Amino acid sequence: MPAVTVEDTTTLARVPLPAPRTVRRRTRSVTTAPSGFEGEGFPVRRAFAGVDLRALDPFLHMDQMGEVEYAPGEPKGTSWHPHRGFETVTYLLDGTFEHADSHGGGGTISDGDTQWMTAGGGVLHIERPPEHLVVSGGLFHGLQLWVNLPRAQKWVEPRYQDLRAESSVLLASPDAGAFLRVIAGDVAGHTGPGATYTPMAMVHATVSPGATLDLPWRPDFNALVYVLSGAGSVGIDGAPVRTGQLAVLGPGDTVTVRGAVHQESRTPALDVVVLGGRPINEPIAMYGPFVMNTRQEVADAFTDFSAGRLGSIPAQRVEGPVPHAGVRGETGQTPA
Ligand code: MN
């Protein structure tokens, strides 16, 4: 798992030790992500499956894509599909992914890069491995997170942010036993590169075997810990977690993550993504590629898509599969 790594974490800025009266958050639930296949067939874990949307708010959906070692000719992506009413955040740990959208956004991300697409009022996009990787095969591992937009911002103009791996803010725990990459939001006064409409934070942490991370976390944010790989425990109550599990934490100032002393040899440390945001507290009407406040607004989105009002595929991009009404969760796999 390359993402961004450093030779010596002791050279990094440290997050402070928790203050004496710090409230360490407790674990509310631990769920195991079911595995499935996305789009044209890449393997995913549905990180938020079985968790109430109110506990996730402002987050909606997250897929861990891979980790998978593709044979030549095997890598898969999506076809052109629409979105409206939220943001998609793709964080790539291993491999390379290309993105293009109908609003002129797009680029190539690889090892540790993030692309942050605000669908806003509507956009079409495509996400897939570059042709040379389809031919060669190779390692692929990433995350795609869906972040909701509040009613007042569902109609903003689409936006594309290309966040390079080296722009992540790198920090360490006080004893340097945990290594943090701040992708968005603020951790102890250190602000990551991602610009967000909904106040939130996203951190990828690598916790060494036996180490404890007490991550300062805004008390007005919720707190989710998803295990990319490895084993350990979460919360002041020390709930055990392992690869593919999501812990939802209760209120407090600090997110506690411990790396188990014994890790499997293929996953030498505990890697987690910590997410938190200010809940939007609005009704959610979510179907397929659209996330609105009412069912009528979702029906309108399908109508607008059929009428071509969510944009059109750029002429030079018309190759590959024909556009259709959304790959992701089209059959109701996303939480409804
Ligand atoms: Mn998409």
Side-chain angles (χ1 to χ4, degrees):
M1 186 178 300
V4 178
T5 52
V6 294
E7 285 289 311
D8 181 6
T9 54
T10 63
T11 62
L12 299 172
R14 312 291 173 93
V15 297
L17 283 165
R21 288 195 214 330
T22 292
V23 177
R24 291 178 173 82
R25 293 175 185 242
R26 296 188 71 82
T27 310
R28 274 191 174 157
S29 65
V30 175
T31 46
T32 302
S35 296
F37 288 91
E38 180 59 277
E40 295 173 19
F42 55 85
V44 297
R45 285 193 175 95
R46 312 245 176 230
F48 294 170
V51 181
D52 194 299
L53 278 176
R54 285 168 295 193
L56 301 172
D57 190 6
F59 307 106
L60 297 160
H61 181 79
M62 189 164 75
D63 282 340
Q64 181 180 12
M65 308 180 290
E67 177 177 33
V68 59
E69 180 77 35
Y70 282 121
E74 199 182 37
K76 299 284 198 278
T78 70
S79 49
W80 283 90
H81 59 279
H83 291 298
R84 174 182 279 176
F86 66 104
E87 304 185 274
T88 66
V89 179
T90 308
Y91 175 50
L92 210 66
L93 292 104
D94 293 286
T96 303
F97 222 34
E98 285 181 342
H99 172 108
D101 70 49
S102 57
H103 194 256
T108 301
I109 56 170
S110 60
D111 312 340
D113 298 333
T114 300
Q115 56 124 322
W116 201 296
M117 188 191 76
T118 306
V123 73
L124 307 182
H125 78 160
I126 186 168
E127 308 147 279
R128 59 184 173 187
E131 190 58 36
H132 70 271
L133 274 186
V134 175
V135 172
S136 67
L139 185 60
F140 180 79
H141 188 197
L143 276 184
Q144 188 171 93
L145 170 70
W146 290 15
V147 185
N148 205 2
L149 289 167
R151 188 190 306 271
Q153 289 165 334
K154 286 199 181 290
W155 297 95
V156 295
E157 188 160 331
R159 179 170 76 179
Y160 182 84
Q161 298 175 70
D162 190 343
L163 310 175
R164 294 288 112 187
E166 52 273 19
S167 69
S168 296
V169 172
L170 307 182
L171 303 170
S173 57
D175 65 0
F179 168 48
L180 312 175
R181 308 153 187 89
V182 183
I183 297 163
D186 177 292
V187 171
H190 302 274
T191 305
T196 74
Y197 282 99
T198 303
M200 60 161 283
M202 176 175 179
V203 175
H204 172 193
T206 302
V207 185
S208 301
T212 297
L213 168 65
D214 279 313
L215 183 63
W217 209 244
R218 275 174 54 166
D220 60 330
F221 281 7
N222 66 346
L224 311 172
V225 178
Y226 179 72
V227 182
L228 292 166
S229 65
S233 64
V234 173
I236 186 63
D237 48 322
V241 289
R242 57 178 163 76
T243 304
Q245 290 192 315
L246 177 79
V248 177
L249 303 185
D253 311 307
T254 300
V255 171
T256 305
V257 182
R258 291 188 186 83
V261 172
H262 299 288
Q263 302 281 343
E264 290 185 20
S265 57
R266 58 183 171 162
T267 56
L270 171 65
D271 270 90
V272 299
V273 171
V274 186
L275 297 167
R278 195 163 69 206
I280 294 172
N281 290 319
E282 289 178 5
I284 297 170
M286 180 168 172
Y287 191 81
F290 305 125
V291 184
M292 306 303 290
N293 295 113
T294 69
R295 293 173 69 162
Q296 183 58 51
E297 288 169 341
V298 171
D300 292 346
F302 278 104
T303 304
D304 288 349
F305 170 58
S306 299
R309 288 191 286 267
L310 269 63
S312 51
I313 299 170
Q316 71 275 24
R317 303 280 189 180
V318 184
E319 78 264 8
V322 277
H324 65 106
V327 176
R328 195 169 300 275
E330 193 174 29
T331 53
Q333 291 162 321
T334 46

